[in-house]
Amino acid sequence: MDEQPRLMHSHTGVGMAGHPGLPQHMQDGTGGSDGDGRKQDIGDILQQIMTITDQSLDEAQARKHALNCHRMKPALFNVLCEIKEKTVLSIRGAQEEEPPDPQLMRLDNMLLAEGVSGPEKGGGSAAAAAAAAASGGAGADNSAEHSDYRAKLSQIRQIYHTELEKYEQACNEFTTHVMNLLREQSRTRPISPKEIERMVSIIHRKFSSIQMQLKQSTCEAVMILRSRFLDARRKRRNFNKQATEILNEYFYSHLSNPYPSEEAKEELAKKCAITVAQVSNWFGNKRIRYKKNIGKFQEEANMYAARTAVNAANASSHGSQANSPSTPNSAGSAGSFNMSNSGDLFMSVQSLNGDSYQGAQVGANVQSQVDTLRHVISQTGGYSEGLTANQMYSPQGINANGGWPDAPTPSSVTSPTEGPGSVHSDTSN
DNA sequence: TACAATGATTGTTT
DNA sequence: AAACAATCATTGTA
């Protein structure tokens, strides 16, 4: 590729350097035609080359100086530069364009997004927020983990920045060194400023490839950190007792249709201090595990049913005795709704024994009361054995293939009345 | 330490 | 898009 220029360098270099010391017949160009003479000249030149290392520094400097002062030197030098420019640049010109490396851009983007590069504080908190969102956890109880995560991240960040700085410094040092060297040599060797620039850009490219390795390993470290700290599956915490109770109360009081609407989920999430997604997960898990082994959950079901029944009974008796609006817990309308539907409620319960019961056609509040009262009946009637209770629950709640009846969810049918208020009244206490 | 319980994820189905 | 089913990984307990 650059064989030609290199040959030219060495040739001209030797020729020029040896110029002051050449035999006279070479210098005035008279001995060129003589074959024996030429051989002799070449022998002389070789001899000079061989002894070049024996020269003292002063001697070399003197030769250099003589060379620089030669009257033909500037013109000749320019010509050499020109020739070199043409050959070298035309060869290398093609590969000059450097398209932005997509991988490098990807790494840069990721480092920026993770808060490793970019502004210190904003980046860090943004990453932490993103992490919080990704993990889907409640902000309050894993803030400790997040601070731990942030600490580790800033550690990575610090290493990254010191390394990056080191690389940059080394790159600059090396660049200036090479530039000085080239500039120095350019006085005796045909090196144009353009070529120096080119050399610098080559150096920068080399160093940036080293930087890319640094970025890559930093990205890997961040990914490992993320998976370690933020993979919710690894870091899961059981919900606290209260949250579990709230969820279970809702589940067992809506046993025939345990599909909370979006509003209900939001309300539950709020009450349990968890996310809506977690509520959905919980209900998904609960439904499937309940269905898989109803017997196992019998005791739990009875317990929650009894508890909710007491609440329901209290509410009913209060209503019939004084017809008072409601407890402070439940909104006035919800309370009166329950009250006014108490008649329907018992009708529904009566019809429970028949096949005509259609959960979807009954208001959700009524439905929850029905679910509750099933348990009440099972308890007060002395049906404490699992088998009897199973007979109470499963035929209505779960269809032949094991799923819940394909009834519309409360939200689609009764959301105006069901919503947060009803959740509240169902699960309060 | 083994095992059950449990929250989350993933892939499939509806 | 939501639900289901299977599975993973952690937590709690005997």
Side-chain angles (χ1 to χ4, degrees):
Chain A
M1 189 73 119
D2 48 7
E3 191 61 18
Q4 189 186 355
R6 208 187 303 138
L7 282 174
M8 196 162 69
H9 289 171
S10 56
H11 195 84
T12 52
V14 169
M16 296 290 275
H19 184 224
L22 282 179
Q24 192 56 41
H25 64 263
M26 280 290 282
Q27 290 199 29
D28 58 24
T30 52
S33 57
D34 184 358
D36 287 347
R38 199 187 297 165
K39 262 187 191 166
Q40 181 61 42
D41 293 343
I42 291 169
D44 286 349
I45 291 167
L46 284 173
Q47 187 58 40
Q48 284 188 22
I49 291 169
M50 296 304 283
T51 57
I52 212 162
T53 50
D54 297 335
Q55 291 170 1
S56 69
L57 204 62
D58 289 342
E59 211 173 334
Q61 286 294 335
R63 275 173 186 250
K64 210 162 110 183
H65 183 70
L67 175 69
N68 281 333
C69 293
H70 195 278
R71 63 191 167 82
M72 286 298 285
K73 192 252 174 183
L76 204 55
F77 195 78
N78 282 343
V79 170
L80 284 170
C81 279
E82 216 170 287
I83 292 168
K84 191 178 174 187
E85 183 98 350
K86 272 182 194 160
T87 52
V88 175
L89 295 191
S90 66
I91 290 163
R92 291 195 182 156
Q95 60 185 37
E96 263 319 293
E97 303 86 39
E98 35 185 320
D101 186 354
Q103 201 190 347
L104 184 65
M105 279 175 69
R106 216 164 39 106
L107 290 173
D108 276 335
N109 285 341
M110 188 190 153
L111 289 173
L112 203 63
E114 294 295 336
V116 176
S117 58
E120 168 76 64
K121 258 200 156 176
S125 66
S135 69
D141 50 47
N142 33 6
S143 63
E145 289 160 28
H146 283 163
S147 72
D148 203 4
Y149 171 81
R150 267 199 295 273
K152 296 265 188 214
L153 190 70
S154 81
Q155 211 175 321
I156 290 174
R157 186 191 159 89
Q158 202 174 349
I159 292 167
Y160 171 77
H161 279 291
T162 51
E163 287 294 308
L164 201 66
E165 211 172 303
K166 237 192 274 178
Y167 284 147
E168 261 162 22
Q169 204 180 332
C171 179
N172 285 340
E173 268 174 31
F174 189 69
T175 305
T176 50
H177 178 73
V178 168
M179 270 172 77
N180 287 338
L181 212 63
L182 288 174
R183 231 177 260 141
E184 174 67 25
Q185 290 198 357
S186 73
R187 276 189 272 168
T188 52
R189 201 152 77 78
I191 302 170
S192 65
K194 227 176 183 177
E195 203 182 345
I196 295 176
E197 262 176 50
R198 203 170 309 280
M199 192 68 92
V200 167
S201 83
I202 288 168
I203 293 167
H204 281 175
R205 236 177 316 185
K206 291 283 178 202
F207 269 89
S208 81
S209 80
I210 296 171
Q211 275 187 6
M212 192 155 95
Q213 281 178 20
L214 172 70
K215 284 174 181 175
Q216 198 154 16
S217 57
T218 306
C219 276
E220 274 169 30
V222 171
M223 292 310 279
I224 290 167
L225 184 73
R226 275 194 81 113
S227 68
R228 237 241 199 107
F229 276 79
L230 303 173
D231 186 349
R233 202 146 63 166
R234 289 179 196 279
K235 273 289 169 187
R236 82 171 178 79
R237 291 258 176 280
N238 289 354
F239 299 155
N240 60 38
K241 215 164 185 183
Q242 204 181 350
T244 312
E245 279 189 14
I246 290 168
L247 293 166
N248 271 318
E249 275 178 28
Y250 187 97
F251 180 81
Y252 287 112
S253 64
H254 295 75
L255 200 53
S256 67
N257 191 32
Y259 298 87
S261 65
E262 270 311 302
E263 291 101 352
K265 280 182 194 170
E266 279 169 29
E267 180 71 16
L268 285 169
K270 210 162 134 192
K271 286 173 79 171
C272 300
I274 58 178
T275 64
V276 174
Q278 285 177 301
V279 173
S280 296
N281 282 340
W282 190 91
F283 273 89
N285 284 324
K286 190 73 184 181
R287 278 193 299 264
I288 214 145
R289 283 163 186 167
Y290 179 85
K291 202 174 74 181
K292 258 187 178 170
N293 193 352
I294 295 172
K296 198 175 79 181
F297 290 92
Q298 212 50 75
E299 210 174 314
E300 190 180 71
N302 289 337
M303 193 186 82
Y304 282 103
R307 193 181 302 183
T308 324
V310 170
N311 296 340
N314 279 348
S316 292
S317 66
H318 277 276
S320 60
Q321 277 172 7
N323 203 17
S324 63
S326 67
T327 58
N329 269 359
S330 53
S333 60
S336 63
F337 177 74
N338 277 346
M339 236 58 78
S340 66
N341 278 289
S342 56
D344 293 343
L345 172 65
F346 288 111
M347 285 177 68
S348 299
V349 171
Q350 283 184 328
S351 67
L352 264 176
N353 293 327
D355 294 326
S356 60
Y357 174 69
Q358 297 287 321
Q361 291 171 2
V362 188
N365 277 342
V366 178
Q367 184 56 60
S368 75
Q369 300 269 17
V370 170
D371 289 327
T372 298
L373 277 159
R374 282 187 202 149
H375 296 278
V376 175
I377 291 164
S378 78
Q379 285 222 321
T380 53
Y383 300 118
S384 52
E385 297 98 334
L387 182 63
T388 319
N390 256 344
Q391 286 174 335
M392 295 294 295
Y393 307 138
S394 47
Q396 280 90 21
I398 298 172
N399 66 19
N401 65 15
W404 267 271
D406 192 14
T409 59
S411 65
S412 60
V413 177
T414 57
S415 57
T417 51
E418 215 236 7
S422 109
V423 174
H424 202 67
S425 62
D426 281 347
T427 55
S428 60
N429 269 354

